[in-house]
Amino acid sequence: MEDLEERPSPEELLELVESVENVEFDVGKGYLTVYFGYAPGVGKTYSMLYDAHLLLEKGIDIVVGYVETHGRAETEALLKDLEIIEPVIYDYKGLKLKEVNYEKIIQRKPQIVIIDELPHTNPPGFPEEKRYQSIKRVLQAGIDVFTAMNVQHLESLKDLIYQITGVEVKESVPDPFIKDAKEIKLIDLPPEELLVRLSEGKVYVKDMAEEARRRFFKIGNLIALRTLALRVVADQLDQKLKNYLRRRGISAPLGFKEKILVGVYASPYASQLVRATYRIASELGGVEWVALFVETEKSKDFTEEEKKWLERALDLARRLGGRVERIKGKNVAQEIISYAKREGITKIVLGKPRREGALTGSIYKKLILETEGIDIYLIAPRVKAELPKTPEKKGFGRYLDILRRYFG
């Protein structure tokens, strides 16, 4: 009952979702809101301008610093009645380039300014190389910024995006800049509806639409990108919740998604354990999972066979989409517990002990008693491990010792 009284109420959690406490931001610093999508045409800019009109009706001083409508009539119509800060013109190789007039925005000092196309690269000679760096100046001036971007422009996802789409993204935004945003608003649209919009010319003009459909707007690409966008938003919200709970002194994991940890050891059954964890994660809807190996002094004595068992299991975890972590420590159980609490783990998977009294042993007992709020799964090996046929007595004794240590 005492633990329940320490947990935040539903009203407090709702308040967390809708706004972030001021302690997470510098005093006097403007707030960043990112309208986040998985592909062009889902409605990010439209949503920003629509929200701008709602805020304007409430008396909020909001202006437009830069908006890219891509010639979409319904988006252009929303610019009506909004104050637009005239852009500054830059000459670049005979071209007249319109850029955001940051100095004028800071001088005007509205409550909120809309600056579209966050991943944009500034022209040569500009004070900052990237638009997100220029937006930092506006935020430091105490002005809130609304901006927009797609998931493929996150720096950490560049390689993955290339594997999925075959398209190399040139412009990117560092992940920490997005994670520090006050709010990430997911602007979502089913891929099938986006393809209809594309065919109707509401995303690009006809010739560009055909090229986009052939290269980028494939249904498989869109589904994959949409999944990534959903995960990014979920991660940001989950991190805010963990920060909130940490400030409340609550260590028990209470998140919006499951997160699984599998303890991996140099055992012939390690790969089976990894596969079992992958199945659990899949059954829960493809949730995040991590394979953790705790390296102790005993790890230095691993035989070549033991090293192969370990690396084979860790490689398998990577191939199945899990994250692999290797940490050093003196006490395996304590390192697992500390990692689980720090990372918001909700389930821990271990090998099932097979001898009497193993559950009361130090590792299992400590994990069960000191992981309140975390489920413990004990997985029995499905297939008998294949050991060397003619091992030396010392080697065979070592294999038995490994099995006892890992499975009891």
Side-chain angles (χ1 to χ4, degrees):
M1 291 299 294
E2 292 178 358
D3 179 62
L4 289 175
E5 291 175 357
E6 291 179 356
R7 294 180 181 272
S9 67
E11 290 76 17
E12 290 173 316
L13 289 177
L14 180 59
E15 180 183 352
L16 171 69
V17 173
E18 294 177 341
S19 64
V20 180
E21 295 179 39
N22 291 334
V23 295
E24 293 189 11
F25 300 92
D26 297 332
V27 176
K29 181 181 177 182
Y31 291 157
L32 177 69
T33 298
V34 180
Y35 288 72
F36 196 73
Y38 68 88
V42 297
K44 301 179 300 298
T45 303
Y46 183 93
S47 296
M48 275 198 301
L49 295 176
Y50 183 85
D51 288 352
H53 280 277
L54 296 178
L55 292 170
L56 195 64
E57 291 175 2
K58 295 179 180 179
I60 302 297
D61 183 16
I62 182 168
V63 303
V64 175
Y66 176 83
V67 158
E68 181 55 71
T69 67
H70 296 286
R72 299 164 190 158
E74 66 270 26
T75 303
E76 291 180 348
L78 286 175
L79 285 172
K80 185 179 179 181
D81 298 328
L82 292 177
E83 179 183 343
I84 299 176
I85 303 295
E86 286 300 316
V88 60
I89 306 299
Y90 273 79
D91 286 318
Y92 178 66
K93 295 183 178 181
L95 298 175
K96 300 291 186 181
L97 303 177
K98 293 182 179 181
E99 286 296 332
V100 182
N101 195 332
Y102 294 100
E103 283 69 25
K104 193 169 183 179
I105 290 172
I106 293 173
Q107 183 181 9
R108 166 69 172 72
K109 203 171 177 61
Q111 289 175 270
I112 305 173
V113 60
I114 294 174
I115 303 176
D116 205 354
E117 302 285 345
L118 179 61
H120 175 74
T121 299
N122 292 327
F126 216 78
E128 297 87 15
E129 180 185 359
K130 296 287 188 177
R131 178 164 289 171
Y132 78 87
Q133 294 170 322
S134 300
I135 286 177
K136 282 184 179 180
R137 276 200 288 138
V138 179
L139 294 171
Q140 291 295 343
I143 302 170
D144 294 352
V145 176
F146 284 4
T147 190
M149 67 174 288
N150 288 319
V151 67
Q152 62 263 34
H153 294 286
L154 268 181
E155 177 66 36
S156 67
L157 297 178
K158 285 179 67 175
D159 294 336
L160 181 56
I161 296 298
Y162 181 76
Q163 289 180 329
I164 293 172
T165 66
V167 176
E168 185 177 1
V169 178
K170 301 294 185 182
E171 296 177 318
S172 60
V173 179
D175 294 50
F177 185 79
I178 302 300
K179 290 179 179 178
D180 286 342
K182 175 188 176 183
E183 185 176 7
I184 298 180
K185 289 193 173 186
L186 179 66
I187 310 302
D188 193 32
L189 188 69
E192 295 80 7
E193 291 186 28
L194 179 58
L195 290 175
V196 171
R197 286 178 53 82
L198 182 68
S199 63
E200 292 175 346
K202 295 181 179 180
V203 180
Y204 298 119
V205 295
K206 185 175 181 181
D207 291 342
M208 291 181 63
E210 289 301 320
E211 178 68 11
R213 182 186 287 274
R214 186 178 63 83
R215 295 193 60 207
F216 188 83
F217 281 74
K218 300 175 181 177
I219 190 68
N221 287 353
L222 297 179
I223 291 172
L225 292 171
R226 189 188 191 199
T227 301
L228 288 176
L230 290 168
R231 287 184 178 179
V232 168
V233 176
D235 284 342
Q236 196 237 20
L237 194 57
D238 192 62
Q239 185 58 51
K240 286 181 179 180
L241 178 58
K242 285 194 289 186
N243 293 340
Y244 174 80
L245 295 177
R246 193 176 296 118
R247 291 196 299 272
R248 289 286 305 273
I250 302 172
S251 60
L254 180 60
F256 293 101
K257 61 179 184 177
E258 298 279 4
K259 191 179 279 189
I260 306 173
L261 180 151
V262 54
V264 178
Y265 192 69
S267 159
Y269 295 105
S271 291
Q272 291 187 37
L273 202 57
V274 167
R275 283 190 285 270
T277 305
Y278 170 74
R279 289 194 297 271
I280 293 171
S282 299
E283 290 168 1
L284 291 173
V287 301
E288 183 180 352
W289 62 284
V290 56
L292 176 67
F293 169 64
V294 179
E295 182 180 343
T296 65
E297 285 296 317
K298 293 181 179 179
S299 305
K300 297 178 181 178
D301 298 327
F302 284 166
T303 66
E304 290 303 313
E305 189 70 20
E306 289 171 332
K307 292 176 182 178
K308 288 180 181 179
W309 287 336
L310 176 62
E311 293 305 324
R312 190 180 299 133
L314 296 179
D315 288 342
L316 177 62
R318 293 188 188 95
R319 292 199 304 274
L320 293 177
R323 192 170 81 249
V324 172
E325 296 281 0
R326 306 176 76 134
I327 59 177
K328 293 184 179 181
K330 296 181 179 180
N331 186 297
V332 174
Q334 190 56 56
E335 293 298 334
I336 292 176
I337 292 168
S338 297
Y339 182 92
K341 290 183 176 180
R342 183 172 66 250
E343 296 297 322
I345 298 297
T346 60
K347 300 183 187 300
I348 295 176
V349 179
L350 301 169
K352 182 180 179 181
R354 297 191 297 172
R355 63 181 174 86
E356 186 177 355
L359 280 175
T360 59
S362 59
I363 291 181
Y364 289 100
K365 183 178 180 180
K366 194 173 183 67
L367 282 168
I368 292 171
L369 294 180
E370 298 186 25
T371 54
E372 186 177 357
I374 301 177
D375 297 328
I376 306 293
Y377 285 62
L378 300 180
I379 305 298
R382 302 300 183 196
V383 181
K384 186 177 180 180
E386 185 176 343
L387 299 176
K389 294 181 180 179
T390 57
E392 296 179 3
K393 185 175 181 181
K394 181 179 179 182
F396 184 70
R398 182 166 184 76
Y399 292 135
L400 291 178
D401 181 58
I402 292 168
L403 296 180
R404 291 192 187 100
R405 281 183 290 165
Y406 194 68
F407 288 106

